[in-house]
Amino acid sequence: MTTETIDAAELDQARAQSLASGAAGAALLDVEHALHGTASWTSAAEHIRTATSGTISAASHAGLYYGVPAICFLLHAASSDGSARFQTATKVADRHVAAVTERRVKAAIDRRSHGIALTFKDYDLFYGLAGICSLMVRSMPDSAVLPELLTYLVELSKPRREDDLLVPGWWVDHDPDPIMPTPGGHANLGMAHGAAGLLATLALATRRGIEVQGQREAVVRIIDLFDSWRQDGPNGPWWPQWLTHDDLRTGRTSQPTPGRLSWCYGSPGITRALQLAAVALGDPSRQQQAERDLAANLNDAQLARTDSTGLCHGIAGLYQTAWRMAEDAITPEISDRLADLAAHLTHHSQAAADDDGLLTGHAGIQLALETLRYGTAPKSGWDSCLLIN
């Protein structure tokens, strides 16, 4: 076998266990269909076999969207109806996730104690500890390592001093994207890599009665940060995608205009995190504010700018997030806009997807359409990997 063949085989194996773009994510659509009784388990089982056919990664970069945590998420989704389906494999996956988490938490605490700069994979949703925490809160709430994990995330909510500047505790030294430089680093505010993801994770745990010391204070601290950086515009309130050194020194965002409506970085993900936090804290006034903030963004001008289709930064993710917010809402405004969102989703879903996967591809779009079709919460709970449930 040539080196090129080996590399290709390894690449295929790595892609298969990706929740974002591989068989692990695509299988969630088959699982949802099977749980609704509109398809057999044959296709789901085939995708699951593909995702687990090779060596499943338990390395330091394994997270909710890759490796053993991704497989664990998939297996729990497949038995969300209370069946014993894939029971042995699920128990094995649970043990490996607990071991990976214990190693990663200890390593993260050690790096933090030595002043080593954070990266996204230390804490974010996709490959970091927030994503793993959300999995454990939902599927492994009695795990012995969960309190230590939550405590680490609580500590990240506390600001720290960097030279002469007080920065958020999840500050990273690297750029958010190679083509978007932030000299000196940045504090991300989005759901995928930043403050909204941390807030949603802590709020979802609190809502389920899983708490450690200082957790509610951490939730309030992150809420206060969002209050400080809220911007009011003609098409509704918005927040910067991230904060830089200059932003923190001046108290003003360097981002001139709001970004597009998206789950990953924009107001939909942020307002859902704020709504979840308000529900967890029992604060109806703040909950109403979060709901009205999203509803204000769901206007024709904003929707016209949303021309992508997938979950991450497209109309599918916007619809699923808005649907979850409407389900919990104590105000009617989001529900009043769901029909328009549904029309946009149906229209854009006719376009070709980027791939077959969950995050930007066919599976994610079709899963959002399943929510539209049935008007009920996903039976598999697949959208908990977006931190919106």
Side-chain angles (χ1 to χ4, degrees):
M1 184 177 288
T2 66
T3 302
E4 289 78 13
T5 304
I6 292 171
D7 289 344
E10 290 175 348
L11 183 62
D12 287 343
Q13 192 178 102
R15 187 181 295 116
Q17 57 190 288
S18 166
L19 199 65
S21 58
L28 287 172
L29 177 60
D30 295 312
V31 166
E32 188 70 21
H33 285 159
L35 288 169
H36 274 288
T38 56
S40 73
W41 282 96
T42 304
S43 181
E46 182 179 343
H47 270 119
I48 292 170
R49 280 194 297 273
T50 300
T52 58
S53 60
T55 301
I56 300 170
S57 177
S60 61
H61 61 287
L64 180 60
Y65 276 72
Y66 177 74
V68 69
I71 299 303
C72 186
F73 180 88
L74 170 59
L75 293 173
H76 278 282
S79 59
S80 58
D81 58 351
S83 76
R85 204 175 290 117
F86 308 113
Q87 188 174 45
T88 300
T90 303
K91 288 180 179 178
V92 172
D94 285 352
R95 289 197 299 272
H96 282 292
V97 168
V100 167
T101 305
E102 186 172 5
R103 291 198 304 271
R104 292 198 59 180
V105 171
K106 289 185 184 306
I109 292 172
D110 184 63
R111 286 194 298 273
R112 186 170 171 81
S113 68
H114 286 86
I116 299 173
L118 293 179
T119 65
F120 283 163
K121 76 172 187 177
D122 286 310
Y123 71 87
D124 79 355
L125 168 61
F126 289 163
Y127 304 107
L129 288 171
I132 291 175
C133 185
S134 71
L135 168 63
M136 298 192 87
V137 164
R138 184 177 178 87
S139 302
M140 305 165 60
D142 299 322
S143 174
V145 72
L146 183 53
E148 190 175 18
L149 172 53
L150 281 167
T151 298
Y152 171 75
L153 297 181
V154 166
E155 288 299 309
L156 288 189
S157 74
K158 299 176 181 178
R160 61 179 177 84
R161 189 160 294 279
E162 185 175 279
D163 298 326
D164 62 337
L165 192 64
L166 204 62
V167 301
W170 60 94
W171 183 274
V172 296
D173 285 352
H174 59 77
D175 300 330
D177 187 281
I179 63 172
M180 297 178 179
T182 53
H186 75 287
N188 204 288
L189 298 189
M191 185 70 100
H193 302 296
L198 288 172
L199 180 59
T201 301
L202 294 171
L204 287 164
T206 305
R207 192 176 181 182
R208 289 174 175 262
I210 303 171
E211 294 187 47
V212 295
Q213 185 174 358
Q215 186 165 311
R216 288 175 179 259
E217 291 81 358
V219 169
V220 171
R221 218 165 10 245
I222 302 174
I223 289 173
D224 288 344
L225 178 133
F226 279 115
D227 285 348
S228 297
W229 291 96
R230 174 192 167 110
Q231 313 292 310
D232 289 303
N235 287 313
W238 59 279
W239 289 264
Q241 293 181 311
W242 49 74
L243 306 175
T244 65
H245 277 150
D246 287 344
D247 295 337
L248 294 173
R249 287 193 182 98
T250 63
R252 295 190 302 273
T253 177
S254 54
Q255 183 177 321
T257 58
R260 59 187 169 188
L261 285 181
S262 68
W263 159 80
C264 58
Y265 266 106
S267 297
I270 290 171
T271 52
R272 177 53 170 167
L274 289 168
Q275 184 197 37
L276 287 168
V279 171
L281 296 178
D283 187 338
S285 177
R286 188 170 288 281
Q287 182 180 345
Q288 290 173 22
Q289 183 67 63
E291 293 161 9
R292 287 170 178 153
D293 284 349
L294 179 64
N297 275 271
L298 300 179
N299 56 69
D300 292 339
Q302 288 281 68
L303 292 179
R305 297 177 61 206
T306 309
D307 56 1
S308 181
T309 314
L311 288 176
C312 191
H313 41 256
I315 189 66
L318 175 56
Y319 180 82
Q320 194 69 28
T321 304
W323 192 91
R324 280 293 186 183
M325 288 190 71
E327 184 184 39
D328 284 337
I330 53 177
T331 59
E333 287 92 340
I334 298 175
S335 291
D336 292 344
R337 296 293 289 163
L338 281 181
D340 286 342
L341 280 177
H344 277 268
L345 174 59
T346 303
H347 172 72
H348 284 290
S349 67
Q350 307 306 312
D354 291 348
D355 51 59
D356 290 333
L358 178 71
L359 206 54
T360 63
H362 174 79
I365 296 164
Q366 292 301 314
L367 281 165
L369 285 169
E370 287 288 285
T371 300
L372 169 59
R373 183 174 297 114
Y374 291 103
T376 57
K379 288 183 177 294
S380 63
W382 68 265
D383 57 351
S384 64
C385 72
L386 302 179
L387 290 179
I388 59 175
N389 172 52

